[in-house]
Amino acid sequence: MSHRDQTLVTVATYNEMDNLPRLVDEIHGALPDAHILVVDDNSPDGTGRWCDARAADDPRLHCLHREGKLGLGTAIVAAMRWAVEHGYRCMLNMDADFSHHPRYLRDLVAGMDPDGGPAVDVMIGSRYVPGGRVEGWPLHRRLMSRAVNLYARCLLGLKPKDCSGAYRCYRVETLARVDFDAIRSRGYSFQEEILWHLGRAGARMGETPITFADRQHGSSKINSAEAFGAIWIIFLLGLRKLRGR
Ligand SMILES: Nc1nc2c(ncn2[C@@H]2O[C@H](COP(=O)(O)OP(=O)(O)OP(=O)(O)O)[C@@H](O)[C@H]2O)c(=O)[nH]1
Ligand SMILES: [Mg+2]
């Protein structure tokens, strides 16, 4: 099956019943023709069951179920494989918790083919370009995010200002050039790692400003083991880059 002119919006979920029903409506408010793929890791709060029931009434909604919580990075890889297999034009990924507001969806899609400019392969919803902002984060979280971005940009030579956010639109034919089996990240460093692989595949990257809002409903899935794991993986990728591999 091919959806060559269509956009797929992908949302990984783990216990997002407080957010997903409203998010699905708002995504379709912004992009009525888009398909939505939810990748749910057997959420105990029933997010996956809700999604199946809703998908039975709406052919634009799809749900991929995994047996347990396997990490955000692997959920996005599963969504990328699905987008490639089904032949969508663009894949737009966002978090479920409204940190990534659907009001920016159209800017991200429009940025893929800018008027008079070259086409873009990855459009990033960016907190760190002029006009971008973070709302509701305490100072230590702002500093951590800035530090991780600086670290990844220096070590991996990434050009975008915001390399750690998940709110992005990818050209699916460019994703198809990435060897997903080579991706090491299970959790947070996935965002930097996929940019690194795409950069090596010759992808052009752009950024459009967003205001990132802290989660209002539901609970955080972040943990310090994942955060340290992410720093370690970026370091290993940096070593590979130094060795020219
Ligand atoms: N399928 C799946 N989704 C996940 C997993 N971990 C996180 N998510 C989803 O990924 C998105 C981002 O996770 P968040 O918990 O918001 O992570 P965060 O934004 O760093 O942290 P807070 O917003 O502060 O809680 C949300 O939509 C989560 O439901 C996972 O292991 N599997
Ligand atoms: Mg969040």
Side-chain angles (χ1 to χ4, degrees), residues 12-14 16 39 41 66 69-72 75 95-97 141 188 214-215 219-222:
T13 55
Y14 191 75
E16 297 289 3
V39 182
D41 281 1
R66 305 195 304 170
K69 191 173 186 313
L70 297 172
L72 176 58
D95 289 352
D97 59 359
R141 201 144 177 206
Y188 282 93
D214 196 16
R215 164 192 287 284
S219 59
S220 177
K221 283 100 213 168
I222 202 166

mmCIF file with all atom_site columns, all heavy atoms in Angstrom, residues 12-14 16 39 41 66 69-72 75 95-97 141 188 214-215 219-222, ligand 1:
data_model
loop_
_atom_site.group_PDB
_atom_site.id
_atom_site.type_symbol
_atom_site.label_atom_id
_atom_site.label_alt_id
_atom_site.label_comp_id
_atom_site.label_asym_id
_atom_site.label_entity_id
_atom_site.label_seq_id
_atom_site.pdbx_PDB_ins_code
_atom_site.Cartn_x
_atom_site.Cartn_y
_atom_site.Cartn_z
_atom_site.occupancy
_atom_site.B_iso_or_equiv
_atom_site.pdbx_formal_charge
_atom_site.auth_seq_id
_atom_site.auth_comp_id
_atom_site.auth_asym_id
_atom_site.auth_atom_id
_atom_site.pdbx_PDB_model_num
ATOM   1   N N   . ALA A 1 12  ? 4.445  8.262  19.951 1.00 0.00 ? 12  ALA A N   1
ATOM   2   C CA  . ALA A 1 12  ? 4.731  7.135  20.859 1.00 0.00 ? 12  ALA A CA  1
ATOM   3   C C   . ALA A 1 12  ? 4.023  7.409  22.175 1.00 0.00 ? 12  ALA A C   1
ATOM   4   O O   . ALA A 1 12  ? 4.007  8.550  22.653 1.00 0.00 ? 12  ALA A O   1
ATOM   5   C CB  . ALA A 1 12  ? 6.233  7.017  21.084 1.00 0.00 ? 12  ALA A CB  1
ATOM   6   N N   . THR A 1 13  ? 3.417  6.371  22.746 1.00 0.00 ? 13  THR A N   1
ATOM   7   C CA  . THR A 1 13  ? 2.670  6.600  23.989 1.00 0.00 ? 13  THR A CA  1
ATOM   8   C C   . THR A 1 13  ? 2.986  5.551  25.044 1.00 0.00 ? 13  THR A C   1
ATOM   9   O O   . THR A 1 13  ? 3.143  4.366  24.752 1.00 0.00 ? 13  THR A O   1
ATOM   10  C CB  . THR A 1 13  ? 1.144  6.556  23.748 1.00 0.00 ? 13  THR A CB  1
ATOM   11  O OG1 . THR A 1 13  ? 0.795  5.307  23.127 1.00 0.00 ? 13  THR A OG1 1
ATOM   12  C CG2 . THR A 1 13  ? 0.669  7.700  22.901 1.00 0.00 ? 13  THR A CG2 1
ATOM   13  N N   . TYR A 1 14  ? 3.064  6.035  26.271 1.00 0.00 ? 14  TYR A N   1
ATOM   14  C CA  . TYR A 1 14  ? 3.078  5.156  27.435 1.00 0.00 ? 14  TYR A CA  1
ATOM   15  C C   . TYR A 1 14  ? 2.272  5.879  28.523 1.00 0.00 ? 14  TYR A C   1
ATOM   16  O O   . TYR A 1 14  ? 2.700  6.914  29.030 1.00 0.00 ? 14  TYR A O   1
ATOM   17  C CB  . TYR A 1 14  ? 4.512  4.855  27.896 1.00 0.00 ? 14  TYR A CB  1
ATOM   18  C CG  . TYR A 1 14  ? 4.516  3.754  28.924 1.00 0.00 ? 14  TYR A CG  1
ATOM   19  C CD1 . TYR A 1 14  ? 4.320  2.428  28.533 1.00 0.00 ? 14  TYR A CD1 1
ATOM   20  C CD2 . TYR A 1 14  ? 4.646  4.042  30.279 1.00 0.00 ? 14  TYR A CD2 1
ATOM   21  C CE1 . TYR A 1 14  ? 4.266  1.418  29.472 1.00 0.00 ? 14  TYR A CE1 1
ATOM   22  C CE2 . TYR A 1 14  ? 4.596  3.025  31.217 1.00 0.00 ? 14  TYR A CE2 1
ATOM   23  C CZ  . TYR A 1 14  ? 4.406  1.720  30.804 1.00 0.00 ? 14  TYR A CZ  1
ATOM   24  O OH  . TYR A 1 14  ? 4.338  0.709  31.737 1.00 0.00 ? 14  TYR A OH  1
ATOM   25  N N   . GLU A 1 16  ? -0.773 7.650  28.297 1.00 0.00 ? 16  GLU A N   1
ATOM   26  C CA  . GLU A 1 16  ? -1.119 9.008  27.850 1.00 0.00 ? 16  GLU A CA  1
ATOM   27  C C   . GLU A 1 16  ? -2.622 9.194  27.666 1.00 0.00 ? 16  GLU A C   1
ATOM   28  O O   . GLU A 1 16  ? -3.054 9.986  26.837 1.00 0.00 ? 16  GLU A O   1
ATOM   29  C CB  . GLU A 1 16  ? -0.372 9.342  26.543 1.00 0.00 ? 16  GLU A CB  1
ATOM   30  C CG  . GLU A 1 16  ? 1.139  9.374  26.654 1.00 0.00 ? 16  GLU A CG  1
ATOM   31  C CD  . GLU A 1 16  ? 1.693  10.569 27.445 1.00 0.00 ? 16  GLU A CD  1
ATOM   32  O OE1 . GLU A 1 16  ? 0.911  11.381 27.968 1.00 0.00 ? 16  GLU A OE1 1
ATOM   33  O OE2 . GLU A 1 16  ? 2.945  10.654 27.533 1.00 0.00 ? 16  GLU A OE2 1
ATOM   34  N N   . VAL A 1 39  ? 2.220  4.472  18.535 1.00 0.00 ? 39  VAL A N   1
ATOM   35  C CA  . VAL A 1 39  ? 3.015  3.297  18.918 1.00 0.00 ? 39  VAL A CA  1
ATOM   36  C C   . VAL A 1 39  ? 2.908  3.175  20.432 1.00 0.00 ? 39  VAL A C   1
ATOM   37  O O   . VAL A 1 39  ? 3.495  3.975  21.170 1.00 0.00 ? 39  VAL A O   1
ATOM   38  C CB  . VAL A 1 39  ? 4.495  3.429  18.491 1.00 0.00 ? 39  VAL A CB  1
ATOM   39  C CG1 . VAL A 1 39  ? 5.263  2.164  18.867 1.00 0.00 ? 39  VAL A CG1 1
ATOM   40  C CG2 . VAL A 1 39  ? 4.605  3.710  17.000 1.00 0.00 ? 39  VAL A CG2 1
ATOM   41  N N   . ASP A 1 41  ? 3.137  1.039  24.046 1.00 0.00 ? 41  ASP A N   1
ATOM   42  C CA  . ASP A 1 41  ? 3.878  -0.061 24.687 1.00 0.00 ? 41  ASP A CA  1
ATOM   43  C C   . ASP A 1 41  ? 3.060  -0.712 25.795 1.00 0.00 ? 41  ASP A C   1
ATOM   44  O O   . ASP A 1 41  ? 3.500  -0.810 26.940 1.00 0.00 ? 41  ASP A O   1
ATOM   45  C CB  . ASP A 1 41  ? 5.222  0.455  25.223 1.00 0.00 ? 41  ASP A CB  1
ATOM   46  C CG  . ASP A 1 41  ? 6.250  0.597  24.106 1.00 0.00 ? 41  ASP A CG  1
ATOM   47  O OD1 . ASP A 1 41  ? 5.904  0.313  22.950 1.00 0.00 ? 41  ASP A OD1 1
ATOM   48  O OD2 . ASP A 1 41  ? 7.398  0.995  24.403 1.00 0.00 ? 41  ASP A OD2 1
ATOM   49  N N   . ARG A 1 66  ? 3.147  -2.787 21.104 1.00 0.00 ? 66  ARG A N   1
ATOM   50  C CA  . ARG A 1 66  ? 4.333  -3.558 21.494 1.00 0.00 ? 66  ARG A CA  1
ATOM   51  C C   . ARG A 1 66  ? 4.082  -4.120 22.890 1.00 0.00 ? 66  ARG A C   1
ATOM   52  O O   . ARG A 1 66  ? 3.256  -3.608 23.639 1.00 0.00 ? 66  ARG A O   1
ATOM   53  C CB  . ARG A 1 66  ? 5.571  -2.668 21.446 1.00 0.00 ? 66  ARG A CB  1
ATOM   54  C CG  . ARG A 1 66  ? 5.719  -2.031 20.062 1.00 0.00 ? 66  ARG A CG  1
ATOM   55  C CD  . ARG A 1 66  ? 7.074  -1.442 19.829 1.00 0.00 ? 66  ARG A CD  1
ATOM   56  N NE  . ARG A 1 66  ? 7.462  -0.466 20.826 1.00 0.00 ? 66  ARG A NE  1
ATOM   57  C CZ  . ARG A 1 66  ? 8.693  0.031  20.916 1.00 0.00 ? 66  ARG A CZ  1
ATOM   58  N NH1 . ARG A 1 66  ? 9.642  -0.376 20.069 1.00 0.00 ? 66  ARG A NH1 1
ATOM   59  N NH2 . ARG A 1 66  ? 8.983  0.929  21.832 1.00 0.00 ? 66  ARG A NH2 1
ATOM   60  N N   . LYS A 1 69  ? 7.171  -1.698 27.786 1.00 0.00 ? 69  LYS A N   1
ATOM   61  C CA  . LYS A 1 69  ? 7.861  -0.418 27.629 1.00 0.00 ? 69  LYS A CA  1
ATOM   62  C C   . LYS A 1 69  ? 9.290  -0.634 27.137 1.00 0.00 ? 69  LYS A C   1
ATOM   63  O O   . LYS A 1 69  ? 10.158 -1.045 27.900 1.00 0.00 ? 69  LYS A O   1
ATOM   64  C CB  . LYS A 1 69  ? 7.859  0.326  28.969 1.00 0.00 ? 69  LYS A CB  1
ATOM   65  C CG  . LYS A 1 69  ? 8.302  1.770  28.850 1.00 0.00 ? 69  LYS A CG  1
ATOM   66  C CD  . LYS A 1 69  ? 8.133  2.517  30.151 1.00 0.00 ? 69  LYS A CD  1
ATOM   67  C CE  . LYS A 1 69  ? 8.447  4.005  30.006 1.00 0.00 ? 69  LYS A CE  1
ATOM   68  N NZ  . LYS A 1 69  ? 9.688  4.292  29.289 1.00 0.00 ? 69  LYS A NZ  1
ATOM   69  N N   . LEU A 1 70  ? 9.513  -0.353 25.859 1.00 0.00 ? 70  LEU A N   1
ATOM   70  C CA  . LEU A 1 70  ? 10.802 -0.657 25.227 1.00 0.00 ? 70  LEU A CA  1
ATOM   71  C C   . LEU A 1 70  ? 11.632 0.591  24.941 1.00 0.00 ? 70  LEU A C   1
ATOM   72  O O   . LEU A 1 70  ? 12.692 0.500  24.327 1.00 0.00 ? 70  LEU A O   1
ATOM   73  C CB  . LEU A 1 70  ? 10.559 -1.423 23.918 1.00 0.00 ? 70  LEU A CB  1
ATOM   74  C CG  . LEU A 1 70  ? 9.885  -2.791 24.062 1.00 0.00 ? 70  LEU A CG  1
ATOM   75  C CD1 . LEU A 1 70  ? 9.521  -3.367 22.706 1.00 0.00 ? 70  LEU A CD1 1
ATOM   76  C CD2 . LEU A 1 70  ? 10.807 -3.749 24.808 1.00 0.00 ? 70  LEU A CD2 1
ATOM   77  N N   . GLY A 1 71  ? 11.149 1.773  25.357 1.00 0.00 ? 71  GLY A N   1
ATOM   78  C CA  . GLY A 1 71  ? 11.927 3.000  25.153 1.00 0.00 ? 71  GLY A CA  1
ATOM   79  C C   . GLY A 1 71  ? 11.429 3.811  23.974 1.00 0.00 ? 71  GLY A C   1
ATOM   80  O O   . GLY A 1 71  ? 11.001 3.268  22.956 1.00 0.00 ? 71  GLY A O   1
ATOM   81  N N   . LEU A 1 72  ? 11.526 5.146  24.154 1.00 0.00 ? 72  LEU A N   1
ATOM   82  C CA  . LEU A 1 72  ? 11.011 6.061  23.124 1.00 0.00 ? 72  LEU A CA  1
ATOM   83  C C   . LEU A 1 72  ? 11.758 5.925  21.794 1.00 0.00 ? 72  LEU A C   1
ATOM   84  O O   . LEU A 1 72  ? 11.153 5.964  20.725 1.00 0.00 ? 72  LEU A O   1
ATOM   85  C CB  . LEU A 1 72  ? 11.104 7.513  23.646 1.00 0.00 ? 72  LEU A CB  1
ATOM   86  C CG  . LEU A 1 72  ? 10.700 8.619  22.682 1.00 0.00 ? 72  LEU A CG  1
ATOM   87  C CD1 . LEU A 1 72  ? 9.270  8.441  22.196 1.00 0.00 ? 72  LEU A CD1 1
ATOM   88  C CD2 . LEU A 1 72  ? 10.876 9.984  23.337 1.00 0.00 ? 72  LEU A CD2 1
ATOM   89  N N   . ALA A 1 75  ? 10.556 3.044  19.850 1.00 0.00 ? 75  ALA A N   1
ATOM   90  C CA  . ALA A 1 75  ? 9.177  3.292  19.379 1.00 0.00 ? 75  ALA A CA  1
ATOM   91  C C   . ALA A 1 75  ? 9.211  4.146  18.111 1.00 0.00 ? 75  ALA A C   1
ATOM   92  O O   . ALA A 1 75  ? 8.460  3.899  17.157 1.00 0.00 ? 75  ALA A O   1
ATOM   93  C CB  . ALA A 1 75  ? 8.358  3.980  20.472 1.00 0.00 ? 75  ALA A CB  1
ATOM   94  N N   . ASP A 1 95  ? 5.580  14.318 20.584 1.00 0.00 ? 95  ASP A N   1
ATOM   95  C CA  . ASP A 1 95  ? 5.222  13.708 21.865 1.00 0.00 ? 95  ASP A CA  1
ATOM   96  C C   . ASP A 1 95  ? 3.715  13.827 22.073 1.00 0.00 ? 95  ASP A C   1
ATOM   97  O O   . ASP A 1 95  ? 3.067  14.716 21.512 1.00 0.00 ? 95  ASP A O   1
ATOM   98  C CB  . ASP A 1 95  ? 5.933  14.424 23.025 1.00 0.00 ? 95  ASP A CB  1
ATOM   99  C CG  . ASP A 1 95  ? 7.429  14.140 23.059 1.00 0.00 ? 95  ASP A CG  1
ATOM   100 O OD1 . ASP A 1 95  ? 7.898  13.283 22.282 1.00 0.00 ? 95  ASP A OD1 1
ATOM   101 O OD2 . ASP A 1 95  ? 8.124  14.785 23.877 1.00 0.00 ? 95  ASP A OD2 1
ATOM   102 N N   . ALA A 1 96  ? 3.188  12.959 22.963 1.00 0.00 ? 96  ALA A N   1
ATOM   103 C CA  . ALA A 1 96  ? 1.731  12.945 23.190 1.00 0.00 ? 96  ALA A CA  1
ATOM   104 C C   . ALA A 1 96  ? 1.277  13.982 24.204 1.00 0.00 ? 96  ALA A C   1
ATOM   105 O O   . ALA A 1 96  ? 0.086  14.237 24.324 1.00 0.00 ? 96  ALA A O   1
ATOM   106 C CB  . ALA A 1 96  ? 1.312  11.559 23.675 1.00 0.00 ? 96  ALA A CB  1
ATOM   107 N N   . ASP A 1 97  ? 2.222  14.584 24.941 1.00 0.00 ? 97  ASP A N   1
ATOM   108 C CA  . ASP A 1 97  ? 1.825  15.325 26.150 1.00 0.00 ? 97  ASP A CA  1
ATOM   109 C C   . ASP A 1 97  ? 1.619  16.823 25.933 1.00 0.00 ? 97  ASP A C   1
ATOM   110 O O   . ASP A 1 97  ? 1.625  17.591 26.898 1.00 0.00 ? 97  ASP A O   1
ATOM   111 C CB  . ASP A 1 97  ? 2.873  15.102 27.249 1.00 0.00 ? 97  ASP A CB  1
ATOM   112 C CG  . ASP A 1 97  ? 4.266  15.550 26.818 1.00 0.00 ? 97  ASP A CG  1
ATOM   113 O OD1 . ASP A 1 97  ? 4.424  16.011 25.673 1.00 0.00 ? 97  ASP A OD1 1
ATOM   114 O OD2 . ASP A 1 97  ? 5.192  15.425 27.643 1.00 0.00 ? 97  ASP A OD2 1
ATOM   115 N N   . ARG A 1 141 ? 16.675 22.076 34.311 1.00 0.00 ? 141 ARG A N   1
ATOM   116 C CA  . ARG A 1 141 ? 16.310 21.310 33.119 1.00 0.00 ? 141 ARG A CA  1
ATOM   117 C C   . ARG A 1 141 ? 16.667 22.082 31.845 1.00 0.00 ? 141 ARG A C   1
ATOM   118 O O   . ARG A 1 141 ? 17.082 21.505 30.841 1.00 0.00 ? 141 ARG A O   1
ATOM   119 C CB  . ARG A 1 141 ? 14.815 20.968 33.169 1.00 0.00 ? 141 ARG A CB  1
ATOM   120 C CG  . ARG A 1 141 ? 14.515 19.806 32.299 1.00 0.00 ? 141 ARG A CG  1
ATOM   121 C CD  . ARG A 1 141 ? 13.477 18.842 32.762 1.00 0.00 ? 141 ARG A CD  1
ATOM   122 N NE  . ARG A 1 141 ? 13.338 17.851 31.680 1.00 0.00 ? 141 ARG A NE  1
ATOM   123 C CZ  . ARG A 1 141 ? 12.258 17.150 31.447 1.00 0.00 ? 141 ARG A CZ  1
ATOM   124 N NH1 . ARG A 1 141 ? 11.204 17.282 32.204 1.00 0.00 ? 141 ARG A NH1 1
ATOM   125 N NH2 . ARG A 1 141 ? 12.222 16.295 30.445 1.00 0.00 ? 141 ARG A NH2 1
ATOM   126 N N   . TYR A 1 188 ? 16.817 8.369  25.071 1.00 0.00 ? 188 TYR A N   1
ATOM   127 C CA  . TYR A 1 188 ? 16.888 9.784  24.726 1.00 0.00 ? 188 TYR A CA  1
ATOM   128 C C   . TYR A 1 188 ? 17.869 10.166 23.635 1.00 0.00 ? 188 TYR A C   1
ATOM   129 O O   . TYR A 1 188 ? 17.599 11.094 22.867 1.00 0.00 ? 188 TYR A O   1
ATOM   130 C CB  . TYR A 1 188 ? 17.149 10.609 25.990 1.00 0.00 ? 188 TYR A CB  1
ATOM   131 C CG  . TYR A 1 188 ? 15.881 10.758 26.790 1.00 0.00 ? 188 TYR A CG  1
ATOM   132 C CD1 . TYR A 1 188 ? 15.567 9.880  27.809 1.00 0.00 ? 188 TYR A CD1 1
ATOM   133 C CD2 . TYR A 1 188 ? 14.957 11.741 26.470 1.00 0.00 ? 188 TYR A CD2 1
ATOM   134 C CE1 . TYR A 1 188 ? 14.385 9.970  28.503 1.00 0.00 ? 188 TYR A CE1 1
ATOM   135 C CE2 . TYR A 1 188 ? 13.766 11.851 27.147 1.00 0.00 ? 188 TYR A CE2 1
ATOM   136 C CZ  . TYR A 1 188 ? 13.487 10.957 28.170 1.00 0.00 ? 188 TYR A CZ  1
ATOM   137 O OH  . TYR A 1 188 ? 12.307 11.055 28.839 1.00 0.00 ? 188 TYR A OH  1
ATOM   138 N N   . ASP A 1 214 ? 6.006  22.663 29.035 1.00 0.00 ? 214 ASP A N   1
ATOM   139 C CA  . ASP A 1 214 ? 6.174  21.490 29.901 1.00 0.00 ? 214 ASP A CA  1
ATOM   140 C C   . ASP A 1 214 ? 4.852  20.721 29.985 1.00 0.00 ? 214 ASP A C   1
ATOM   141 O O   . ASP A 1 214 ? 3.766  21.288 29.842 1.00 0.00 ? 214 ASP A O   1
ATOM   142 C CB  . ASP A 1 214 ? 6.604  21.936 31.304 1.00 0.00 ? 214 ASP A CB  1
ATOM   143 C CG  . ASP A 1 214 ? 7.155  20.771 32.121 1.00 0.00 ? 214 ASP A CG  1
ATOM   144 O OD1 . ASP A 1 214 ? 7.488  19.733 31.536 1.00 0.00 ? 214 ASP A OD1 1
ATOM   145 O OD2 . ASP A 1 214 ? 7.252  20.910 33.352 1.00 0.00 ? 214 ASP A OD2 1
ATOM   146 N N   . ARG A 1 215 ? 4.967  19.407 30.189 1.00 0.00 ? 215 ARG A N   1
ATOM   147 C CA  . ARG A 1 215 ? 3.811  18.517 30.309 1.00 0.00 ? 215 ARG A CA  1
ATOM   148 C C   . ARG A 1 215 ? 2.839  19.033 31.380 1.00 0.00 ? 215 ARG A C   1
ATOM   149 O O   . ARG A 1 215 ? 3.242  19.360 32.491 1.00 0.00 ? 215 ARG A O   1
ATOM   150 C CB  . ARG A 1 215 ? 4.350  17.131 30.678 1.00 0.00 ? 215 ARG A CB  1
ATOM   151 C CG  . ARG A 1 215 ? 3.359  16.149 31.200 1.00 0.00 ? 215 ARG A CG  1
ATOM   152 C CD  . ARG A 1 215 ? 4.070  14.952 31.800 1.00 0.00 ? 215 ARG A CD  1
ATOM   153 N NE  . ARG A 1 215 ? 4.673  14.066 30.805 1.00 0.00 ? 215 ARG A NE  1
ATOM   154 C CZ  . ARG A 1 215 ? 3.998  13.205 30.040 1.00 0.00 ? 215 ARG A CZ  1
ATOM   155 N NH1 . ARG A 1 215 ? 2.694  13.147 30.103 1.00 0.00 ? 215 ARG A NH1 1
ATOM   156 N NH2 . ARG A 1 215 ? 4.625  12.433 29.192 1.00 0.00 ? 215 ARG A NH2 1
ATOM   157 N N   . SER A 1 219 ? 2.167  11.598 33.698 1.00 0.00 ? 219 SER A N   1
ATOM   158 C CA  . SER A 1 219 ? 3.430  11.663 34.428 1.00 0.00 ? 219 SER A CA  1
ATOM   159 C C   . SER A 1 219 ? 4.628  11.436 33.516 1.00 0.00 ? 219 SER A C   1
ATOM   160 O O   . SER A 1 219 ? 4.519  10.840 32.448 1.00 0.00 ? 219 SER A O   1
ATOM   161 C CB  . SER A 1 219 ? 3.424  10.626 35.555 1.00 0.00 ? 219 SER A CB  1
ATOM   162 O OG  . SER A 1 219 ? 3.251  9.357  34.981 1.00 0.00 ? 219 SER A OG  1
ATOM   163 N N   . SER A 1 220 ? 5.761  11.940 33.994 1.00 0.00 ? 220 SER A N   1
ATOM   164 C CA  . SER A 1 220 ? 7.013  11.884 33.243 1.00 0.00 ? 220 SER A CA  1
ATOM   165 C C   . SER A 1 220 ? 7.554  10.461 33.165 1.00 0.00 ? 220 SER A C   1
ATOM   166 O O   . SER A 1 220 ? 7.393  9.681  34.102 1.00 0.00 ? 220 SER A O   1
ATOM   167 C CB  . SER A 1 220 ? 8.035  12.767 33.940 1.00 0.00 ? 220 SER A CB  1
ATOM   168 O OG  . SER A 1 220 ? 9.255  12.666 33.275 1.00 0.00 ? 220 SER A OG  1
ATOM   169 N N   . LYS A 1 221 ? 8.201  10.145 32.040 1.00 0.00 ? 221 LYS A N   1
ATOM   170 C CA  . LYS A 1 221 ? 8.830  8.825  31.910 1.00 0.00 ? 221 LYS A CA  1
ATOM   171 C C   . LYS A 1 221 ? 10.351 8.924  31.959 1.00 0.00 ? 221 LYS A C   1
ATOM   172 O O   . LYS A 1 221 ? 11.064 7.968  31.745 1.00 0.00 ? 221 LYS A O   1
ATOM   173 C CB  . LYS A 1 221 ? 8.418  8.158  30.595 1.00 0.00 ? 221 LYS A CB  1
ATOM   174 C CG  . LYS A 1 221 ? 7.024  7.567  30.619 1.00 0.00 ? 221 LYS A CG  1
ATOM   175 C CD  . LYS A 1 221 ? 6.013  8.441  29.966 1.00 0.00 ? 221 LYS A CD  1
ATOM   176 C CE  . LYS A 1 221 ? 4.677  8.292  30.642 1.00 0.00 ? 221 LYS A CE  1
ATOM   177 N NZ  . LYS A 1 221 ? 3.743  9.328  30.216 1.00 0.00 ? 221 LYS A NZ  1
ATOM   178 N N   . ILE A 1 222 ? 10.858 10.141 32.197 1.00 0.00 ? 222 ILE A N   1
ATOM   179 C CA  . ILE A 1 222 ? 12.308 10.354 32.178 1.00 0.00 ? 222 ILE A CA  1
ATOM   180 C C   . ILE A 1 222 ? 12.923 9.676  33.416 1.00 0.00 ? 222 ILE A C   1
ATOM   181 O O   . ILE A 1 222 ? 12.321 9.659  34.475 1.00 0.00 ? 222 ILE A O   1
ATOM   182 C CB  . ILE A 1 222 ? 12.622 11.873 32.160 1.00 0.00 ? 222 ILE A CB  1
ATOM   183 C CG1 . ILE A 1 222 ? 14.014 12.143 31.623 1.00 0.00 ? 222 ILE A CG1 1
ATOM   184 C CG2 . ILE A 1 222 ? 12.442 12.505 33.523 1.00 0.00 ? 222 ILE A CG2 1
ATOM   185 C CD1 . ILE A 1 222 ? 14.240 13.602 31.274 1.00 0.00 ? 222 ILE A CD1 1
HETATM 186 N N1  . LIG B 2 .   ? 5.854  3.718  23.203 1.00 0.00 ? 1   LIG B N1  1
HETATM 187 C C1  . LIG B 2 .   ? 6.597  4.352  24.122 1.00 0.00 ? 1   LIG B C1  1
HETATM 188 N N2  . LIG B 2 .   ? 6.425  5.668  24.310 1.00 0.00 ? 1   LIG B N2  1
HETATM 189 C C2  . LIG B 2 .   ? 7.187  6.277  25.260 1.00 0.00 ? 1   LIG B C2  1
HETATM 190 C C3  . LIG B 2 .   ? 8.145  5.597  26.036 1.00 0.00 ? 1   LIG B C3  1
HETATM 191 N N3  . LIG B 2 .   ? 8.741  6.488  26.872 1.00 0.00 ? 1   LIG B N3  1
HETATM 192 C C4  . LIG B 2 .   ? 8.149  7.676  26.635 1.00 0.00 ? 1   LIG B C4  1
HETATM 193 N N4  . LIG B 2 .   ? 7.202  7.565  25.683 1.00 0.00 ? 1   LIG B N4  1
HETATM 194 C C5  . LIG B 2 .   ? 6.361  8.596  25.066 1.00 0.00 ? 1   LIG B C5  1
HETATM 195 O O1  . LIG B 2 .   ? 7.267  9.497  24.474 1.00 0.00 ? 1   LIG B O1  1
HETATM 196 C C6  . LIG B 2 .   ? 6.834  10.834 24.620 1.00 0.00 ? 1   LIG B C6  1
HETATM 197 C C7  . LIG B 2 .   ? 7.873  11.632 25.415 1.00 0.00 ? 1   LIG B C7  1
HETATM 198 O O2  . LIG B 2 .   ? 7.959  11.105 26.728 1.00 0.00 ? 1   LIG B O2  1
HETATM 199 P P1  . LIG B 2 .   ? 7.889  12.045 28.031 1.00 0.00 ? 1   LIG B P1  1
HETATM 200 O O3  . LIG B 2 .   ? 7.594  11.213 29.220 1.00 0.00 ? 1   LIG B O3  1
HETATM 201 O O4  . LIG B 2 .   ? 6.985  13.199 27.772 1.00 0.00 ? 1   LIG B O4  1
HETATM 202 O O5  . LIG B 2 .   ? 9.387  12.500 28.133 1.00 0.00 ? 1   LIG B O5  1
HETATM 203 P P2  . LIG B 2 .   ? 9.897  13.939 28.434 1.00 0.00 ? 1   LIG B P2  1
HETATM 204 O O6  . LIG B 2 .   ? 9.170  14.940 27.557 1.00 0.00 ? 1   LIG B O6  1
HETATM 205 O O7  . LIG B 2 .   ? 11.372 13.892 28.333 1.00 0.00 ? 1   LIG B O7  1
HETATM 206 O O8  . LIG B 2 .   ? 9.493  14.122 29.958 1.00 0.00 ? 1   LIG B O8  1
HETATM 207 P P3  . LIG B 2 .   ? 8.247  14.932 30.612 1.00 0.00 ? 1   LIG B P3  1
HETATM 208 O O9  . LIG B 2 .   ? 7.414  15.532 29.560 1.00 0.00 ? 1   LIG B O9  1
HETATM 209 O O10 . LIG B 2 .   ? 8.876  15.926 31.506 1.00 0.00 ? 1   LIG B O10 1
HETATM 210 O O11 . LIG B 2 .   ? 7.460  13.932 31.347 1.00 0.00 ? 1   LIG B O11 1
HETATM 211 C C8  . LIG B 2 .   ? 5.461  10.753 25.291 1.00 0.00 ? 1   LIG B C8  1
HETATM 212 O O12 . LIG B 2 .   ? 4.476  10.738 24.294 1.00 0.00 ? 1   LIG B O12 1
HETATM 213 C C9  . LIG B 2 .   ? 5.532  9.420  26.030 1.00 0.00 ? 1   LIG B C9  1
HETATM 214 O O13 . LIG B 2 .   ? 4.261  8.833  26.247 1.00 0.00 ? 1   LIG B O13 1
HETATM 215 C C10 . LIG B 2 .   ? 8.319  4.183  25.789 1.00 0.00 ? 1   LIG B C10 1
HETATM 216 O O14 . LIG B 2 .   ? 9.122  3.493  26.395 1.00 0.00 ? 1   LIG B O14 1
HETATM 217 N N5  . LIG B 2 .   ? 7.530  3.631  24.816 1.00 0.00 ? 1   LIG B N5  1
#
